[in-house]
Amino acid sequence: MWKAALLVVILSAATNKSVANDCVPRSFGTNNIVCVCNSTYCDNTPEPEPKSPEKGTFHWYVSSRDGLRLSLSKGQIGRCQNDESLTLNIDTSTRYQTILGFGGAFTDSAGMNIKNLSEATQDQLIRAYFDPKNGSRYTLGRIPIGGTDFSTRAYTLDDYDGDATLQHFALAPEDVEYKIPYARKAVELNPDLRFFSAAWSAPTWMKTNHRINGFGFLKTEYYQTYANYILKFLDEYKKNGIDIWGVSTGNEPFDAYVPFERLNSMGWTPELVGDWIANNLGPTLANSEYNATRIFVLDDQRIGLPWFVDKIFKNKIAKNYVYGIAIHWYADVLIPPEVLDETHNNFPGKKNVDDRSK
């Protein structure tokens, strides 16, 4: 910790620090520091002026266990103070991926906790994340379709058995109370905010095991019904002022293969999800007002790369409908990052989403 503190002292002495609302730290035990945000104060990080570093200068954001949170410093690029023989060559001609943005999830549990705050504190908190001029400046938001493992109960948006026409489809109280209000606050701050959605499970009556979790798959006779279910979700959120930029084929389909897994889930094989995209979800979106809504596949750990995606894209029709590949990070220690490069090289036109938003 003393090294981090020393580094901050050196930076403060050698650079020009920007003006910001600094973190007011609160300790929750060893190495557990949070920044206090209340009705009158939140830390933030305003954009530097100029926004991009001038030639020969750099911007350096520092976070530490002592309470610094994205503390911005500006400095001059020159020789390293501790090693004058060291030379850093920056090759600006080689470019890799473009980062679309960062974001967070509008889950039931997040909304429940936010709702417990005063209105003024709620506004401060949402602003700290989504204000495009200060704070974290999030540009993405994930909104679940129905219940998740961050819900207090198991539910979907049509829990009426055999409702093939989706006559009883309706947003849940959790959508109205915990998701939509805060998503709307966020988009009011940043109209360019992109929302991404996924279902953890189809309604149980559409599944082979008739359960919200476990070894269950979408019944083939409900393939079109489930595509219509996704479309109705897009309709209802649009009525509430929220346009969904992208949807995935389902959150963590591999969970269905895990014995005794309790989380909401629905399994897919790559061949079956390819058929569903090609024959149902893809054309349903393309022939609707949501023809610009992007479709992402996988939405699970990189243990599915590249083989799961390779098999989906053997269905050329499905491949043409798919915009990108959603990847989770929990099992990164098991699978090397090279599979990301391999997948990108196999399908360079497809975009990647690294989902850490839970």
Side-chain angles (χ1 to χ4, degrees):
M1 185 178 296
W2 68 267
K3 291 182 179 179
L6 179 60
L7 174 62
V8 172
V9 171
I10 293 173
L11 284 173
S12 298
T15 62
N16 297 317
K17 192 173 183 298
S18 70
V19 176
N21 284 345
D22 292 330
C23 173
V24 177
R26 177 181 292 174
S27 174
F28 280 82
T30 305
N31 297 332
N32 290 305
I33 299 292
V34 299
C35 298
V36 174
C37 182
N38 57 34
S39 61
T40 60
Y41 184 93
C42 274
D43 58 303
N44 65 43
T45 307
E47 286 190 349
E49 292 293 342
K51 185 174 181 180
S52 298
E54 297 175 334
K55 185 176 181 180
T57 68
F58 65 87
H59 293 163
W60 194 352
Y61 289 89
V62 178
S63 296
S64 74
R65 291 174 178 174
D66 296 317
L68 288 179
R69 291 295 182 269
L70 296 176
S71 178
L72 172 63
S73 294
K74 303 177 183 180
Q76 298 288 326
I77 296 176
R79 290 183 301 179
C80 295
Q81 295 181 3
N82 297 326
D83 187 353
E84 295 187 2
S85 65
L86 179 63
T87 301
L88 299 178
N89 295 313
I90 302 173
D91 182 4
T92 58
S93 65
T94 301
R95 300 294 180 93
Y96 294 96
Q97 70 270 27
T98 298
I99 296 176
L100 179 64
F102 297 87
F106 293 85
T107 61
D108 297 353
S109 60
M112 289 174 186
N113 282 285
I114 295 172
K115 192 172 183 179
N116 284 332
L117 305 173
S118 69
E119 284 285 341
T121 306
Q122 290 179 27
D123 291 340
Q124 285 271 53
L125 181 63
I126 298 297
R127 186 176 299 279
Y129 282 110
F130 292 98
D131 190 326
K133 298 180 180 179
N134 294 291
S136 299
R137 295 188 279 278
Y138 278 4
T139 55
L140 298 169
R142 194 182 194 214
I143 302 176
I145 303 173
T148 76
D149 45 314
F150 288 85
S151 301
T152 58
R153 65 185 181 99
Y155 69 93
T156 72
L157 302 183
D158 192 336
D159 288 327
Y160 290 81
D161 281 357
D163 185 22
T165 62
L166 300 177
Q167 177 183 352
H168 297 287
F169 180 99
L171 295 182
E174 288 85 347
D175 289 290
V176 177
E177 293 184 39
Y178 303 134
K179 300 174 188 175
I180 290 172
Y182 306 114
R184 290 183 65 174
K185 284 178 180 286
V187 81
E188 286 171 7
L189 287 168
N190 181 5
D192 295 326
L193 188 64
R194 292 180 169 98
F195 291 106
F196 174 82
S197 290
W200 269 235
S201 174
T204 58
W205 50 269
M206 294 188 193
K207 297 172 64 178
T208 56
N209 66 344
H210 212 275
R211 289 174 50 197
I212 199 72
N213 56 11
F215 191 67
F217 300 80
L218 187 65
K219 293 180 179 179
T220 54
E221 61 263 36
Y222 289 126
Y223 271 26
Q224 185 56 48
T225 305
Y226 190 46
N228 295 340
Y229 175 91
I230 302 297
L231 194 68
K232 279 185 170 290
F233 169 81
L234 301 178
D235 280 337
E236 292 302 315
Y237 264 72
K238 186 176 181 65
K239 291 176 185 176
N240 283 277
I242 299 170
D243 293 315
I244 305 299
W245 172 81
V247 295
S248 88
T249 49
N251 179 78
E252 295 185 351
F254 296 163
D255 283 351
Y257 297 89
V258 179
F260 311 112
E261 177 59 76
R262 298 172 60 190
L263 302 183
N264 301 12
S265 63
M266 184 174 74
W268 282 113
T269 68
E271 293 82 6
L272 291 178
V273 76
D275 289 344
W276 181 61
I277 295 167
N279 299 320
N280 306 102
L281 182 63
T284 297
L285 291 180
N287 294 323
S288 75
E289 62 179 300
Y290 308 107
N291 53 26
T293 302
R294 285 81 172 166
I295 297 174
F296 289 80
V297 295
L298 186 59
D299 207 353
D300 212 322
Q301 318 304 325
R302 64 189 189 201
I303 195 172
L305 299 178
W307 66 271
F308 195 91
V309 179
D310 287 346
K311 289 186 176 183
I312 293 175
F313 288 168
K314 285 183 178 178
N315 187 322
K316 301 302 182 183
I317 298 175
K319 180 182 177 182
N320 289 336
Y321 280 123
V322 171
Y323 180 78
I325 302 156
I327 304 151
H328 294 208
W329 58 278
Y330 307 107
D332 279 5
V333 68
L334 303 176
I335 306 297
E338 286 79 7
V339 297
L340 297 169
D341 292 331
E342 186 177 353
T343 306
H344 173 72
N345 292 336
N346 288 350
F347 309 106
K350 303 301 182 184
K351 311 300 182 184
N352 290 336
V353 171
D354 184 356
D355 176 19
R356 299 168 186 256
S357 62
K358 292 184 180 181

